[in-house]
Amino acid sequence: MSEPRPVKFRGGGFAPTSIKWIGPVVFIVLIGLLELGTQTGIIAPLTLPKPSDVLATFGELWRSGQLWLHLVPSLTRLLMGAALGVTTGIAIGIAIGLFSHIRAGLVPLVAAIFPIPKIALLPLFVIWFGIDEGSKYALIALGTFTPTVVATYGAVDNVDRSLIRMGQSFGLSWRSIVWKIVLPGAMPGILSGLRISLAIGIILLVAAEMLGAEHGIGAYILQAGSLYDLERLFAGVVILSLLGVTVSAVIGHLERRILRWRS
Amino acid sequence: MDLLVKQVSHRYGDLDVLQNVTLDIPKGKIVCLVGPSGCGKSTLLRLIGGLEQPSSGQIVQIGDPPDACLNPLTYVFQDFALLPWRSVEGNISLVLEDHDIPGHEAQRIIADVLERTKLTDFRAALPKQLSGGMKQRVAIARALAVNPAVLLLDEPLSALDSQTRELLMDDLLALWSRQAFTAVYVTHNLHEAVRLGHVIAVLSRRPGEIKQLVELDIPLGERSPDDPALQLHQQHLWDLMREEAIAADKELVDV
Amino acid sequence: MTTFTRRTALSLMGAAAATPLIGLPAYAKTKVRVGALRFTSHSASFVAFERGYFAEEGLDVEFKFFQAAQPMAVAIASRDADYAVTAISGGLISLADKGAAKVIGGALSEEAGTDGQKFLVSDAAYQAGATALSKLDGKSYAVTQAGSSFHYMGSKMAAKEGISLKFKPLQKVGAIIGALKSGQVDAWSIVPHIAKPLARSGKVHIIGNVADYLPDYQVTTVFTSAANAANERVKTEAFLRAFSRGAADFNAALVDKTAGDEAAEQMVKLIHKYVYASKPYEKARNSIINGAMRINEGAAMNAASIQDQIDWFKTEKLVKDHITMETLVDPSYVKAS
Ligand SMILES: Nc1ncnc2c1ncn2[C@@H]1O[C@H](COP(=O)(O)OP(=O)(O)OP(=O)(O)O)[C@@H](O)[C@H]1O
Ligand SMILES: [Mg+2]
């Protein structure tokens, strides 16, 4: 008989934990490497700009007030377009979730609109809604609308039927069931759909500002691209990334507040 | 208010679920429904509560519910069916909000049912913070809040462990002794049936029909868990059901 | 982008043309990729190719066609094309600043007496009273992108007229035409062979000549990668020689019209292979003749105009302040005026 020994542990892994410091470190190391590469000339100036130059460009944007000149119209467009697209998307999504006729009528339509690259419709929007803000709002609204609809009716479908049955068994009105059971029950799905919708909204910002925008982060990036000004191009891209991170953080905060009840 | 199930049959498509069920549910009594899996107990309860309509036959209401009754036929579900985003108090107020009840009156009702179910200290807790037994107590409190004429309970204790079940059964008995309520109580558990039922209806396997009605004369307050008379009844019920349960079990495997 | 090779035809022609020449250059059969847009203004290269001038210089030319000038400039920078003709834009200057591109000669230029680029207004703006350029104050002006040649022309015109314009970037010429016709933008400038048919439709009106505001404007230039300009002198000179012969033929046939009607017709037919190829000959003929602007003789360039453009880009903060003529231009190849 062999010696008594401890049982071998084999339960490790497969349990992701949040290690906060690794994310920033990856960023810093990557940017540091790029700085080194561009400083020493291993990376040609045509290939990538120096991160420090991008930072300087960003600082210049900030000091000259140009940042706000570009950021304010873009944020307005994102806010207006997304507000329009998301609210109608939630409304239509709930209608699809609740009424079989609307579902039968609209689900194929939404499925048909979803894969259309909205950018392709931009010239059409310019004719319909004008070359100024109208077409930009419309583009972002349509772009955020379809994912919101799909996320919302999926979320409504996933609301625990037994809760609805409970509401009915207590004689709650239809309105109460929708407002107090269906909507809050669909909220997690709607919010995670919102994450995707708003990211698409940010992507479409650049497309929306292709036509007729003097100012805006998208216009700034496009201009930098056409001037082959890599520092400005990257400064613009960094602003978009930051915008994305901010939007995601805001939704995360909303989720933690509104969905406190989730275990 | 009494209820009468009159020659009710029910089918889902080709599937006969209930056949010619006739059952009396007298005021102030607890009627237990037992029967093998899939025999149509839950279906019968849904029919009684008006959540579904029987294919043939009728559910008749004899007499009027009391005036203070907000929802005459009220369910308690096996899975509690609490809104996870509402607190204990919010879950109870949910079922009062659609009735024109002034705020202070609603507060009084909530306080009363919380007190009756020993939940007063958990008013503000969210369902995720509660144990299974506590959750079911909240569901019972919610049901009591609408002052029902008949409580319809579908295996209210089967999601709980046996100790908790024992405790909740005591609570139900205490509630009933304090203020006798009418109830239809569906269960798998014959021990629950003999502890709580004035009448126990034994259903056959699907299509469910009433195989036997067993009446227990011992007053609820005097039934103790280890009462030999109750154990005899339980044994009798099991003998009735045994064959059916085996057959039903095989049937399910065959499906 | 489409790639077009006529290497078989070329080798036949090259062989036929090269035989009588004594002492073929050592760089014979050098492969050269020429970037081009399907515009009449790019005809010098097409002529040089079709008439075998490139082959005579020992260049095995392959055209790379682009939809817009911008990606063509990038293709030069990335060494996917060797030579091309494009307007001076902020992008080109930035690429030159990064050591990727160099202007080596002139191509299209405005000149008094030859039909040049036009200023246009939409019918809506025209009816609302914008009948002269001086009346465009506060109106919108279409450009492809900030820092494009359209931006330069509009801005210089506005400065001379003492008016202010709102510049609307619309990315593509097609989008601009649509927006102009539907009255979404008020004004624009463009080469005559696009301007004139638009004006004939009645939806757009010609209200001025670019040449009146920018005399001797060096519209397009020949450019190449900085590496070619610095290290491939023989090849580059050969390209420019052939290009100039093509330009001379083109000017004689369609601009000065000294070569006679027969030669003009031949020239249009040659160009039609590349430009408006999808249109029937009769239709294309007019457009090609209308679009004929002078291509600089000997690929000479107007240094004053180029300097003016660089200065404008700098004042508009579209390019970096340290940029000079030397950054953009290699003056060692052609005459500068
Ligand atoms: N909505 C429905 N549509 C079709 N069939 C159904 C429906 N509801 C129940 N059934 C079927 O009817 C039969 C009876 O179901 P029911 O839930 O009433 O049985 P049960 O006695 O409550 O069973 P259990 O003891 O498992 O709870 C089952 O075979 C079930 O599959
Ligand atoms: Mg059941």
Side-chain angles (χ1 to χ4, degrees):
Chain A
M1 250 186 50
S2 57
E3 284 293 298
R5 56 185 183 277
V7 170
K8 211 172 111 199
F9 173 65
R10 20 176 205 175
F14 303 103
T17 49
S18 97
I19 308 172
K20 290 239 163 58
W21 57 272
I22 291 187
V25 164
V26 168
F27 267 97
I28 291 165
V29 167
L30 209 64
I31 292 171
L33 281 177
L34 287 181
E35 183 69 34
L36 209 70
T38 43
Q39 288 284 3
T40 52
I42 296 170
I43 302 172
L46 197 62
T47 320
L48 278 175
K50 289 195 191 90
S52 53
D53 285 352
V54 174
L55 195 70
T57 309
F58 193 81
E60 176 56 30
L61 262 178
W62 175 275
R63 271 192 303 279
S64 64
Q66 290 266 319
L67 181 62
W68 301 110
L69 187 71
H70 290 295
L71 206 52
V72 169
S74 284
L75 284 178
T76 314
R77 283 165 194 146
L78 186 63
L79 232 66
M80 295 290 288
L84 207 70
V86 165
T87 44
T88 47
I90 290 177
I92 301 270
I94 287 176
I96 289 176
L98 292 179
F99 305 107
S100 303
H101 284 96
I102 296 182
R103 172 181 300 248
L106 290 189
V107 168
L109 190 67
V110 170
I113 298 175
F114 206 164
I116 299 174
K118 311 299 179 291
I119 304 163
L121 298 179
L122 188 57
L124 200 64
F125 284 180
V126 167
I127 294 170
W128 291 351
F129 305 108
I131 202 157
D132 295 322
E133 299 306 301
S135 55
K136 301 177 179 65
Y137 295 164
L139 186 78
I140 295 173
L142 186 66
T144 50
F145 170 76
T146 35
T148 309
V149 170
V150 173
T152 304
Y153 82 70
V156 172
D157 287 351
N158 275 332
V159 172
D160 192 348
R161 295 291 116 175
S162 70
L163 293 182
I164 295 177
R165 180 142 273 203
M166 179 277 293
Q168 289 174 324
S169 80
F170 277 96
L172 298 196
S173 66
W174 185 85
R175 256 182 70 96
S176 285
I177 291 178
V178 171
W179 274 105
K180 295 172 188 170
I181 300 178
V182 175
L183 253 184
M187 204 44 92
I190 293 176
L191 281 180
S192 69
L194 203 60
R195 252 175 217 282
I196 297 167
S197 303
L198 290 184
I200 291 177
I202 294 174
I203 292 171
L204 284 177
L205 200 55
V206 179
E209 290 178 354
M210 270 184 11
L211 286 192
E214 269 182 274
H215 300 297
I217 299 300
Y220 179 82
I221 289 175
L222 287 166
Q223 173 177 337
S226 73
L227 293 173
Y228 220 82
D229 188 334
L230 296 183
E231 288 84 17
R232 285 197 228 176
L233 184 77
F234 273 75
V237 168
V238 167
I239 293 173
L240 281 189
S241 295
L242 288 179
L243 195 61
V245 171
T246 311
V247 164
S248 165
V250 167
I251 294 177
H253 182 74
L254 270 181
E255 278 180 337
R256 276 191 300 281
R257 272 190 67 107
I258 300 180
L259 308 181
R260 220 163 17 101
W261 51 268
R262 278 202 302 195
S263 33
Chain B
M1 186 184 92
D2 295 355
L3 282 181
L4 185 58
V5 179
K6 268 172 84 176
Q7 291 168 350
V8 162
S9 298
H10 194 67
R11 48 193 304 128
Y12 289 116
D14 290 339
L15 190 73
D16 279 310
V17 178
L18 290 168
Q19 197 156 330
N20 206 16
V21 173
T22 296
L23 185 66
D24 190 18
I25 303 157
K27 185 172 180 327
K29 300 279 176 203
I30 298 177
V31 177
C32 285
L33 290 178
V34 297
S37 238
C39 73
K41 302 182 293 293
S42 298
T43 306
L44 181 57
L45 206 65
R46 285 199 297 274
L47 296 173
I48 296 172
L51 287 180
E52 271 178 58
Q53 287 182 308
S55 307
S56 72
Q58 266 187 312
I59 320 284
V60 191
Q61 177 180 326
I62 302 161
D64 289 322
D67 282 343
C69 175
L70 299 175
N71 188 51
L73 305 170
T74 297
Y75 282 90
V76 174
F77 300 92
Q78 177 178 0
D79 59 357
F80 325 128
L82 299 178
L83 301 186
W85 50 87
R86 284 194 177 220
S87 63
V88 166
E89 186 180 10
N91 265 288
I92 298 168
S93 84
L94 172 81
V95 299
L96 301 173
E97 286 162 12
D98 273 13
H99 305 277
D100 280 329
I101 298 173
H104 60 89
E105 174 63 8
Q107 284 305 316
R108 191 196 60 73
I109 296 175
I110 293 170
D112 175 52
V113 295
L114 287 178
E115 191 266 320
R116 277 157 71 190
T117 49
K118 300 181 223 158
L119 283 167
T120 310
D121 291 343
F122 303 93
R123 231 185 145 97
L126 283 172
K128 69 169 177 185
Q129 299 170 289
L130 302 177
S131 68
M134 296 285 269
K135 283 183 195 160
Q136 195 57 292
R137 293 233 288 273
V138 177
I140 292 167
R142 175 176 65 189
L144 294 176
V146 293
N147 199 11
V150 181
L151 265 182
L152 305 169
L153 304 106
D154 193 355
E155 306 192 29
L157 307 186
S158 50
L160 309 175
D161 63 81
S162 59
Q163 290 87 338
T164 313
R165 206 180 303 163
E166 223 31 79
L167 291 174
L168 238 89
M169 236 185 300
D170 289 342
D171 289 346
L172 280 174
L173 285 170
L175 276 173
W176 189 86
S177 326
R178 194 167 147 171
Q179 189 183 335
F181 53 81
T182 318
V184 182
Y185 188 109
V186 170
T187 182
H188 267 122
N189 185 312
L190 301 179
H191 175 64
E192 283 174 33
V194 295
R195 286 284 308 276
L196 293 171
H198 293 102
V199 179
I200 298 163
V202 182
L203 291 175
S204 70
R205 75 184 134 106
R206 197 181 60 226
E209 32 186 351
I210 299 224
K211 201 168 165 178
Q212 201 172 73
L213 281 175
V214 179
E215 297 207 25
L216 275 89
D217 299 328
I218 313 168
L220 289 195
E222 293 166 22
R223 299 184 189 179
S224 72
D226 38 8
D227 186 340
L230 284 188
Q231 272 163 13
L232 226 60
H233 278 294
Q234 192 176 332
Q235 188 58 48
H236 170 64
L237 289 173
W238 176 232
D239 291 342
L240 276 174
M241 276 179 61
R242 195 186 172 84
E243 297 299 312
E244 300 280 347
I246 292 169
D249 191 36
K250 286 214 178 103
E251 211 165 76
L252 286 174
V253 173
D254 288 345
V255 165
Chain C
M1 191 184 81
T2 47
T3 311
F4 182 76
T5 14
R6 309 179 116 245
R7 215 166 292 134
T8 25
L10 176 78
S11 55
L12 284 175
M13 263 189 320
T19 330
L21 277 178
I22 308 155
L24 261 177
Y27 47 86
K29 295 293 162 223
T30 310
K31 251 193 89 134
V32 172
R33 289 154 305 171
V34 175
L37 305 180
R38 294 182 179 276
F39 286 159
T40 314
S41 52
H42 287 245
S43 293
S45 302
F46 304 148
V47 175
F49 180 81
E50 291 289 328
R51 298 199 167 157
Y53 302 155
F54 285 134
E56 282 173 31
E57 294 286 351
L59 302 177
D60 178 6
V61 163
E62 177 189 326
F63 284 117
K64 277 182 168 288
F65 287 100
F66 293 84
Q67 301 290 340
Q70 170 69 20
M72 195 160 71
V74 177
I76 294 276
S78 67
R79 312 293 298 271
D80 289 311
D82 294 305
Y83 302 98
V85 169
T86 188
I88 295 178
S89 63
L92 183 61
I93 299 176
S94 292
L95 285 173
D97 183 34
K98 293 189 159 58
K102 214 77 179 175
V103 167
I104 51 168
L108 207 65
S109 60
E110 292 282 346
E111 108 189 312
T114 313
D115 212 10
Q117 301 190 78
K118 307 292 181 198
F119 285 111
L120 305 171
V121 288
S122 72
D123 189 47
Y126 191 83
Q127 300 304 337
T131 52
L133 291 170
S134 56
K135 295 177 182 165
L136 282 177
D137 194 31
K139 298 279 186 210
S140 61
Y141 190 94
V143 301
T144 49
Q145 288 151 336
S148 62
S149 55
F150 303 104
H151 192 182
Y152 171 71
M153 288 185 272
S155 176
K156 291 302 266 191
M157 180 274 286
K160 244 189 179 162
E161 289 288 355
I163 58 174
S164 75
L165 294 171
K166 280 198 284 249
F167 292 98
K168 293 256 175 202
L170 296 173
Q171 312 305 325
K172 289 192 180 126
V173 167
I176 295 179
I177 292 175
L180 200 64
K181 279 182 168 174
S182 57
Q184 305 263 15
V185 288
D186 300 317
W188 187 39
S189 60
I190 190 61
V191 288
H193 67 283
I194 296 178
K196 287 178 189 170
L198 277 176
R200 271 199 295 279
S201 75
K203 293 204 172 111
V204 168
H205 302 268
I206 294 175
I207 58 167
N209 287 308
V210 171
D212 296 342
Y213 295 85
L214 293 164
D216 304 320
Y217 168 31
Q218 185 71 59
V219 184
T220 62
T221 56
V222 183
F223 71 107
T224 184
S225 63
N228 268 345
N231 310 327
E232 299 277 357
R233 179 154 288 274
V234 180
K235 182 169 93 176
T236 304
E237 279 173 346
F239 173 81
L240 283 172
R241 267 197 307 277
F243 180 87
S244 303
R245 285 175 73 189
D249 283 10
F250 177 83
N251 288 337
L254 296 180
V255 184
D256 301 325
K257 303 192 173 76
T258 50
D261 290 346
E262 177 57 25
E265 203 64 37
Q266 292 285 315
M267 180 58 68
V268 172
K269 280 195 177 124
L270 187 160
I271 295 168
H272 183 227
K273 285 192 194 169
Y274 297 92
V275 184
Y276 303 120
S278 59
K279 279 196 194 175
Y281 176 71
E282 276 313 310
K283 276 196 162 172
R285 186 177 174 277
N286 267 335
S287 304
I288 291 169
I289 290 175
N290 276 333
M293 283 174 67
R294 179 171 305 284
I295 302 175
N296 296 80
E297 213 64 64
M301 54 188 158
N302 184 334
S305 171
I306 294 176
Q307 185 64 55
D308 183 64
Q309 295 182 52
I310 293 175
D311 292 343
W312 177 81
F313 280 108
K314 287 205 286 198
T315 50
E316 290 289 317
K317 298 254 173 267
L318 291 163
V319 299
K320 304 237 158 60
D321 279 333
H322 63 255
I323 285 164
T324 63
M325 191 76 170
E326 285 70 54
T327 322
L328 179 64
V329 178
D330 182 337
S332 66
Y333 283 96
V334 299
K335 274 208 320 256
S337 58

